[in-house]
């Protein structure tokens, strides 16, 4: 997370290289953190959400993240992080 109400998302793979995107947020609270997880799980979770806006909940660097559409409280996706070096 960055202080200017944006989050930075980056992905790297040996096949595609490294990609970094900055996304604007509507609401951003809490401490800045860095978390790593399998991007395939994030893409799978986002594919089933029929919403322009999603809520992403973090509680810590080694805690699962929660994704849900902003308007639909009936759908909840949980993604587990993994430990990285560096």
């Amino acid at each position: 997370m960055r202080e200017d109400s944006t989050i930075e998302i980056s992905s790297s793979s040996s096949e595609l290289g490294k990609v970094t995107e900055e996304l604007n947020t509507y609401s951003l609270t809490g401490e800045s953190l860095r978390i790593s997880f399998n991007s395939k799980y994030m893409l799978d979770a986002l594919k089933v959400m029929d919403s322009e806006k999603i809520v992403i909940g973090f509680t810590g660097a080694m805690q699962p993240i929660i994704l849900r559409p902003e308007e639909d409280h009936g759908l909840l996706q949980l993604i587990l992080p993994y430990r990285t070096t560096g």
Side-chain angles (χ1 to χ4, degrees):
M1 279 189 281
R2 295 169 44 136
E3 293 178 12
D4 58 352
S5 296
T6 62
I7 59 172
E8 181 179 284
I9 299 175
S10 64
S11 177
S12 63
S13 74
S14 57
E15 299 87 26
L16 301 175
K18 185 171 181 166
V19 175
T20 301
E21 288 286 331
E22 284 191 13
L23 302 174
N24 293 326
T25 63
Y26 292 96
S27 174
L28 184 62
T29 60
E31 301 287 321
S32 181
L33 66 88
R34 180 175 291 234
I35 187 169
S36 298
F37 52 88
N38 187 319
S39 60
K40 181 185 179 320
Y41 299 146
M42 173 67 93
L43 292 173
D44 288 346
L46 293 173
K47 284 179 188 176
V48 299
M49 293 186 191
D50 188 25
S51 180
E52 288 290 318
K53 297 178 185 176
I54 63 167
V55 175
I56 304 174
F58 299 89
T59 57
M62 286 309 297
Q63 300 297 316
I65 65 170
I66 295 173
L67 304 170
R68 68 172 175 79
E70 184 180 51
E71 301 85 25
D72 181 7
H73 298 284
L75 177 62
L76 184 74
Q77 300 285 333
L78 182 78
I79 302 175
L80 301 175
Y82 62 87
R83 222 175 273 283
T84 60
T85 57

